[in-house]
Amino acid sequence: MRPINFSVGDRIQMKKKHPCSSDVFTILRVGSDVRVICTGCGRDLTFPRESIEKMVKRVVSSES
């Protein structure tokens, strides 16, 4: 599987919905862990990079 390029400020769509029914998240920090915030409820989450690459459906919009 090819790694997905993330950068801070990107909005990503996940394969599964968050319990608040939103599936779009904004990236806050990138590294070995990726920190995201839900655009629906504002929940702050941190995932290992390997697992978030499997969960991402597509990059909705880029900051750059």
Side-chain angles (χ1 to χ4, degrees):
M1 199 157 106
R2 204 175 80 211
I4 300 171
N5 293 328
F6 300 121
S7 61
V8 176
D10 287 354
R11 298 182 81 182
I12 55 175
Q13 182 179 18
M14 300 289 205
K15 292 178 183 175
K16 292 186 177 180
K17 291 186 182 261
H18 191 248
C20 73
S21 77
S22 176
D23 62 350
V24 179
F25 292 80
T26 303
I27 296 179
L28 297 177
R29 187 177 73 82
V30 178
S32 60
D33 291 333
V34 178
R35 189 170 161 211
V36 297
I37 190 166
C38 177
T39 57
C41 65
R43 170 79 71 176
D44 190 353
L45 305 163
T46 303
F47 296 104
R49 187 176 188 95
E50 294 173 350
S51 65
I52 202 161
E53 285 180 351
K54 293 177 184 176
M55 294 188 293
V56 171
K57 189 174 189 179
R58 66 187 177 106
V59 176
V60 177
S61 63
S62 265
E63 200 55 32
S64 55

